[in-house]
Amino acid sequence: MMSQSRLRHLAAHNLSTFRRQPWNEISGSLGDLGTFLPIVIALTEGRQISLTTTLIFTGLYNILTGACFGIPLPVQPMKAIAAVAILKSLTAGQTAAAGIFVSSCILLFSVTGLLSWFTKVIPIPVVKGIQVGAGLSLIIAAGTKALSSLSWTTPSWADNYQWMILAFLALFAINLRPRTPYALIVFLVGVVFALVQITADERHHLPGFRMWRPYTQAPSGREWKTGILDAGIGQLPLTTLNSIIAVTHLAADLLPDIETPSVTAIGISVAGMNLFGCWFGAMPVCHGSGGLAAQYRFGARSGASIILLGLFKLLLGILFGESLTDVLHRFPLAFLSVMIIAAGLELASVGESLNTPRARDLSKEGSGARRTEITDEEKKRRWTVMLVTAGLLIAFKNDAIGFAAGMCCHWSFQLSNYLTQRAARRRHMETPEDAEERVNLLP
C-alpha cells in the first residue's frame, strides 16, 4: 500500500509543477483526445458503453492515477476490445465481459509477480520496438482515416484538409515557443466549430442538463463466452505489453526525475479500473504508452494535468452526459488527426535512445554488470531486433506478433553468439598438434 509520505510528496510535486506551468499542464491533459474521442463516440453510438458513466468513471480514474503516480499517466480505451466491439457490433454485456476478463488476468499476473518477471526477461530492443511500432501505427491510422474522410472542402467548412494543414503549421510553429498550450487551443477551436455546426443543423441538439442515473449490468453466460473469445484474448497481450510494460519504460525515458511506477502498480491500477467500472457500463480502459507520449508532447509533466482532466470529465458527465454526443461527433477530424500524428511521432522517437547510455540495460545505474559502451556489431543487432519488432507489429497490426518476432530475432542472435563463443573456446583449448591436424583435413 502506498505510504502517506509518498502521497504527500507526489501532491507537492503535482502542485509545484502546476504553479510553475499551468497552461502547459492544462494543454497536456488534452493531448490524448485524438485517441479517446473517436473510440468513445463510436462505442456510444453503437450502445456498447454509456457515455455518461464512461466520462464519470474515467474522470475518477484520472484523478486517482494522477494523485497516486504523479505522472501524466493516461486513461485510454482498450483498443482491441473497442475495435472488435465496433466491427462485430458486440452488446454492452459482451464488451464489459471482455474488459473484466482482461483485467482479471492482469490482476493475477500482478499479484503473482509474473508481470515483474516478464519485464526483467524482455530485452530492451523488443520493448523499444513495441513503442516505435505503436507510434508509427498511430501515425498510419490517423493518416488513413484522414484520407478516407476528408477532402479540400468536405465533410464541412470546419473540417477539411485546409484546417488540417493549418493545424500542422501551428504545430510546427510552437517549436519556436514550446510553452504554447497547443492542445488546449486546438480543443477550444474544435469545440467552437462543433457548436456552430450543431446550431446550424436542426437535426442535432446542443448539450443540455441531464443528471446521471447509475445502473449496473451483468453479462449473461453467452455474453461472457463471446466477449472473452472474440475480444478479450486479443486484448490481453496488447494490455500487458503496451499498457503496462512499455508505459513504465516510456515514463522512465520521458520523466527521469520522477520515480517510475512499478509494473505491478500499473497492473493493479488497470485491473482495478475495469473490475469496478465495467459493471456499471463504463468503457474498458487501460494505461497506454501512446497516451503518455501525447500528453507529454503537449506539455504535461505531472499528475496535475490528468487530475484537471478528471475533474473536467466528472463535471461533464454529471451535468450533461449523453447530450454531449452530438458535440463530440462534430469535433473536427482534421484536428484530431494532427494530434494523433504528433503523439505517434513522440512515441516513435523514443527508439533513438536504444544504443545510448540512456537505454535502461546500458545505464550506469544498477549492478556493476551493466555496461555503457557496446560494439558496432552489438548496436546493429539491437537495432535489427527493434526494427523487426516494430515492422511485424505494424504489418500485422498486432502487438503479440511483433513481440514474438522480436523475441525470435533476439534469440537467434543469442544463439549465434553462443555458438561463436563455443567454437572460440574449443580453438583456444586445442593443442598445436590438434590445430595442425584440423588444417590438414581442410580441402
Side-chain angles (χ1 to χ4, degrees):
M1 184 176 292
M2 189 169 291
S3 65
Q4 291 185 355
S5 61
R6 174 163 169 73
L7 287 175
R8 286 195 295 268
H9 171 73
L10 292 176
H13 165 71
N14 290 337
L15 184 59
S16 64
T17 304
F18 179 73
R19 285 177 174 174
R20 188 170 61 252
Q21 48 175 41
W23 293 113
N24 290 63
E25 290 294 298
I26 295 172
S27 178
S29 71
L30 304 172
D32 195 32
L33 287 180
T35 301
F36 185 82
L37 287 184
I39 294 178
V40 169
I41 293 169
L43 293 177
T44 300
E45 292 180 343
R47 299 185 183 279
Q48 284 120 346
I49 63 169
S50 163
L51 176 61
T52 305
T53 306
T54 294
L55 286 174
I56 291 173
F57 276 73
T58 57
L60 289 172
Y61 304 154
N62 281 133
I63 294 170
L64 291 173
T65 53
C68 293
F69 297 125
I71 61 174
L73 193 65
V75 175
Q76 291 185 314
M78 286 190 174
K79 298 182 185 63
I81 291 177
V84 173
I86 296 168
L87 181 64
K88 296 188 176 183
S89 299
L90 298 184
T91 65
Q94 291 167 342
T95 305
I100 294 169
F101 165 76
V102 172
S103 297
S104 299
C105 293
I106 294 298
L107 180 62
L108 178 64
F109 296 162
S110 300
V111 298
T112 58
L114 281 174
L115 271 179
S116 297
W117 174 82
F118 200 43
T119 304
K120 293 176 182 177
V121 300
I122 298 178
I124 293 297
V126 174
V127 175
K128 294 284 187 184
I130 293 170
Q131 293 173 331
V132 172
L136 295 178
S137 294
L138 285 176
I139 296 170
I140 293 170
T144 301
K145 180 66 175 177
L147 287 173
S148 64
S149 304
L150 303 179
S151 73
W152 288 104
T153 56
T154 59
S156 71
W157 62 268
D159 193 12
N160 50 55
Y161 284 156
Q162 298 176 60
W163 285 112
M164 191 173 182
I165 291 173
L166 285 174
F168 264 122
L169 292 176
L171 181 65
F172 298 143
I174 66 168
N175 289 326
L176 301 176
R177 300 190 65 182
R179 297 178 68 87
T180 302
Y182 176 86
L184 176 61
I185 295 171
V186 169
F187 174 73
L188 293 176
V189 172
V191 169
V192 170
F193 282 6
L195 293 174
V196 170
Q197 292 181 87
I198 291 173
T199 304
D201 191 343
E202 296 180 354
R203 295 171 298 177
H204 296 87
H205 306 283
L206 291 170
F209 179 74
R210 294 186 186 181
M211 284 296 295
W212 179 43
R213 296 180 179 179
Y215 67 93
T216 59
Q217 62 179 19
S220 65
R222 180 167 295 182
E223 285 178 327
W224 280 110
K225 179 180 178 182
T226 303
I228 292 172
L229 295 179
D230 287 6
I233 293 177
Q235 177 68 48
L236 188 56
L238 178 61
T239 296
T240 304
L241 297 170
N242 186 52
S243 302
I244 299 176
I245 295 175
V247 82
T248 56
H249 284 264
L250 183 64
D253 288 339
L254 297 180
L255 302 162
D257 297 331
I258 307 173
E259 183 180 348
T260 304
S262 67
V263 290
T264 300
I266 298 293
I268 292 175
S269 175
V270 170
M273 290 189 297
N274 297 289
L275 291 177
F276 180 68
C278 287
W279 295 102
F280 295 89
M283 174 180 62
V285 292
C286 59
H287 304 304
S289 57
L292 175 57
Q295 290 169 171
Y296 180 89
R297 173 65 182 80
F298 293 112
R301 296 295 184 272
S302 75
S305 61
I306 55 170
I307 291 175
L308 292 171
L309 177 63
L311 293 171
F312 182 58
K313 286 181 181 178
L314 269 177
L315 183 65
L316 290 179
I318 292 173
L319 297 181
F320 300 104
E322 306 294 331
S323 69
L324 293 169
T325 303
D326 285 343
V327 176
L328 299 181
H329 187 73
R330 286 284 188 168
F331 194 92
L333 176 63
F335 293 162
L336 290 178
S337 298
V338 174
M339 294 174 72
I340 294 173
I341 290 171
L345 290 171
E346 186 71 36
L347 181 55
S349 68
V350 301
E352 171 269 337
S353 65
L354 174 67
N355 290 325
T356 69
R358 287 185 292 141
R360 297 183 72 176
D361 58 339
L362 303 179
S363 171
K364 293 180 180 180
E365 300 177 0
S367 65
R370 289 187 175 183
R371 301 167 298 161
T372 58
E373 295 182 2
I374 53 177
T375 66
D376 289 340
E377 181 64 24
E378 287 177 303
K379 290 181 179 179
K380 182 178 179 180
R381 291 184 174 187
R382 287 164 62 86
W383 189 259
T384 300
V385 171
M386 184 183 75
L387 288 183
V388 167
T389 305
L392 272 292
L393 185 155
I394 294 169
F396 291 94
K397 300 179 180 179
N398 189 301
D399 285 50
I401 292 177
F403 168 74
M407 290 301 298
C408 288
C409 184
H410 170 76
W411 287 329
S412 70
F413 286 139
Q414 293 291 92
L415 179 60
S416 175
N417 281 339
Y418 171 74
L419 294 177
T420 301
Q421 292 171 4
R422 184 178 179 183
R425 284 196 299 269
R426 284 183 174 179
R427 288 195 297 270
H428 180 72
M429 294 174 63
E430 67 182 0
T431 64
E433 292 78 8
D434 294 333
E436 183 178 354
E437 182 180 354
R438 176 169 53 80
V439 172
N440 292 333
L441 292 174
L442 293 175

